[in-house]
Amino acid sequence: MLRSLVGSEMCIRDSAPIYVRPIDSRTGDVQEFAAFEWAEPAEEVLAWEARRPKLLTELQQSNADLICLQEVQFEPTEAGGFGLPAWLSALDKYKSQLPDQSSLTEMAERNERVLAARYPVGNAVLYNPERLELLPGVASDSTTRVCVCVRGKGDLSGLSDVAVFSAHLDATSEEKRVKQLAKCMEVARARGLRHMLIAGDLNSELNLGSCAAAILAEPWRSEPSEGEMAAECAGDLRLDGEAVPSPEQLETWYKLHGAAAEMAELHRVRLLRVPTEATRACFEIGKRAGPCVPWRLDHILYSPQVLQLRSRWQTLEVDPQLIAVGLPNHSCPSDHLPIAASFEPVQLPVLDDAGKSEVERRLVELDQVQLGQVEALVASQMKVQLGIEAEEAAAAAESPAAAEPVKGRGKNKKGKPSAQMIAFIPVSYTHLTLPTKRIV
């Protein structure tokens, strides 16, 4: 919904039909994540014929300019590849960005082996070409990470270049989640961008103490306590009951947390989180009976330098009944509640030609000042060194024995330097290099 000076983005997870109570050929059973025991009667709640019209209506009524989809079940095309499913063709005002065909084919072959269904499942981004211009560049997208780089046009001409990602992070490993977020930053920087919007099922509540949350630059967040770090580590390891992480596990967690915190600084990316709450309601992990509990797994992360948050959709905190019955249900066709946010583009300041010339002049001036300071330091250090050498020569002349070679040493080897010389060595002019030109 990035409209006129206000814009928004919607994220929805489709719950691909082949991921609803399929039989895993490796085990002969339905995988836990796809069982949906609470979703009954199945013909009203889980059946694709019942869910599909509701999903389409939700997408159409969102009127969003950007839609990030996860768990889309792609369909074969006449060209031999895979494309968007036919039911999404009703969204004809959008253009789409899909995963690479090689990634889709690999996923289709995997699903054929495991689920006896040759359909790939993955992410997609839909964008409104009337209000967003696709930037040139070659995309390389996987089934869990799809990117479009866009700038505003028309009513949205104030929107600067932004890399938009539909992301579906790993469900079992914090290390993999951190690496996937790092990859988003790498992709954006490779396209010459550092302003981003990442939306999707991040499979993390991004609590204080989690490593994935360490990438956020939210000024109101304090440093996580030892208890918060231990709790997030235990949760990621899925430790039972009162079990606590071992010292070795905690050490690994702290290292990963530190690496994640440095990641945004390394890429010069600043991200905030839209303050959505719970979007998933299901049985607790590992349990086959209720009650259903809420999870805050879906998020929108954005660069505040170019996007100012104006509003967001409410999430499960406003309807306890939806939490009690779990998702999907009669009113929500997806196993994750859709999230959306509206943003106002922030115009970045741009230097005119006179401003650029002034910056270049000041840089040259600064170079000259620093060069003069270095030359003065070299001259000063040389003077000190010559003084020390003169004192040592005078001392050697007064005491010839001190100048004789020490027994057992080679002819050209010198003895230990004097205390004065040792103190001088760390700042000796021989360790200084004069700059010859500016490195840009």
Side-chain angles (χ1 to χ4, degrees):
M1 292 177 277
L2 286 165
R3 40 179 26 71
S4 76
L5 290 180
V6 175
S8 70
E9 189 275 346
M10 180 186 183
C11 167
I12 187 168
R13 176 168 141 151
D14 288 357
S15 303
I18 65 169
Y19 281 1
V20 176
R21 296 183 179 175
I23 301 298
D24 189 325
S25 63
R26 299 167 296 186
T27 63
D29 295 320
V30 175
Q31 291 186 11
E32 179 186 340
F33 83 92
F36 304 111
E37 290 100 336
W38 58 87
E40 295 293 348
E43 64 274 10
E44 298 176 12
V45 176
L46 283 181
W48 184 233
E49 292 73 18
R51 294 193 299 117
R52 183 181 59 210
K54 296 177 182 178
L55 282 168
L56 181 58
T57 298
E58 205 151 31
L59 291 169
Q60 290 173 323
Q61 292 181 349
S62 74
N63 200 26
D65 290 306
L66 279 164
I67 300 177
C68 294
L69 300 170
Q70 297 88 52
E71 292 199 353
V72 177
Q73 182 171 310
F74 299 98
E75 296 178 351
T77 64
E78 294 182 356
F82 295 94
L84 285 175
W87 68 275
L88 284 175
S89 62
L91 301 173
D92 53 4
K93 77 173 184 179
Y94 294 99
K95 289 188 176 181
S96 62
Q97 180 70 33
L98 310 184
D100 293 344
Q101 287 297 318
S102 59
S103 297
L104 291 172
T105 300
E106 183 180 348
M107 172 64 79
E109 292 172 350
R110 178 265 179 199
N111 286 341
E112 185 175 29
R113 292 192 308 270
V114 177
L115 305 177
R118 199 177 190 279
Y119 293 97
V121 174
N123 295 3
V125 177
L126 308 182
Y127 65 95
N128 183 353
E130 295 298 318
R131 294 162 61 80
L132 294 168
E133 176 187 350
L134 188 67
L135 300 181
V138 178
S140 179
D141 296 313
S142 68
T143 54
T144 58
R145 185 200 67 252
V146 173
C147 172
V148 295
C149 297
V150 295
R151 69 165 58 105
K153 60 188 289 191
D155 292 344
L156 286 177
S157 58
L159 179 64
S160 301
D161 298 357
V162 178
V164 179
F165 292 88
S166 175
H168 192 173
L169 304 190
D170 192 83
T172 60
S173 168
E174 185 81 344
E175 182 178 8
K176 289 181 180 179
R177 288 189 284 271
V178 169
K179 288 181 178 179
Q180 287 171 305
L181 288 171
K183 186 63 178 178
C184 289
M185 294 184 181
E186 291 171 8
V187 169
R189 297 301 283 132
R191 297 289 298 274
L193 302 177
R194 64 171 180 269
H195 301 128
M196 306 169 60
L197 191 150
I198 303 174
D201 178 3
L202 303 192
N203 270 308
S204 169
E205 294 201 301
L206 298 184
N207 292 324
L208 202 60
S210 80
C211 299
I215 72 164
L216 299 176
E218 296 172 324
W220 52 88
R221 283 192 175 227
S222 58
E223 285 296 316
S225 66
E226 292 183 3
E228 288 166 332
M229 293 285 281
E232 290 301 308
C233 179
D236 182 62
L237 296 171
R238 299 189 179 180
L239 301 181
D240 295 329
E242 300 299 319
V244 297
S246 68
E248 293 76 18
Q249 289 169 330
L250 279 175
E251 181 182 3
T252 300
W253 189 261
Y254 271 86
K255 287 181 178 178
L256 181 61
H257 190 277
E262 293 174 359
M263 185 171 64
E265 184 176 349
L266 173 66
H267 293 292
R268 295 194 297 155
V269 170
R270 184 182 175 216
L271 294 173
L272 301 183
R273 186 185 77 86
V274 174
T276 49
E277 294 300 329
T279 54
R280 174 96 163 108
C282 58
F283 295 162
E284 289 193 53
I285 294 174
K287 294 187 177 181
R288 306 299 296 267
C292 290
V293 296
W295 300 85
R296 189 180 70 187
L297 302 181
D298 301 89
H299 306 273
I300 299 173
L301 312 181
Y302 66 98
S303 294
Q305 299 96 322
V306 294
L307 295 169
Q308 183 175 5
L309 180 63
R310 286 305 190 193
S311 63
R312 66 171 179 88
W313 281 6
Q314 294 176 320
T315 38
L316 290 177
E317 72 277 6
V318 300
D319 194 343
Q321 182 58 27
L322 284 180
I323 296 176
V325 300
L327 302 179
N329 54 46
H330 287 94
S331 61
C332 180
S334 173
D335 61 334
H336 288 230
L337 193 73
I339 57 175
S342 295
F343 300 93
E344 180 177 344
V346 178
Q347 188 70 51
L348 286 174
V350 178
L351 286 175
D352 56 18
D353 290 341
K356 292 177 182 177
S357 297
E358 174 61 15
V359 170
E360 291 175 358
R361 184 194 66 76
R362 292 172 64 184
L363 287 173
V364 171
E365 184 180 89
L366 182 60
D367 268 347
Q368 294 301 316
V369 170
Q370 291 179 337
L371 180 60
Q373 291 172 341
V374 170
E375 290 175 340
L377 178 60
V378 169
S380 173
Q381 297 292 3
M382 289 183 66
K383 183 177 180 180
V384 173
Q385 183 177 5
L386 291 173
I388 292 173
E389 291 174 349
E391 290 178 8
E392 289 180 345
E398 294 177 5
S399 179
E404 293 179 1
V406 179
K407 186 176 181 181
R409 294 191 181 178
K411 260 180 158 183
N412 296 324
K413 291 186 179 179
K414 297 183 179 179
K416 182 180 178 181
S418 67
Q420 287 176 303
M421 185 61 76
I422 291 174
F424 172 75
I425 286 174
V427 292
S428 170
Y429 74 91
T430 58
H431 296 287
L432 297 173
T433 302
L434 296 179
T436 56
K437 75 175 199 177
R438 167 168 291 277
I439 300 175
V440 180

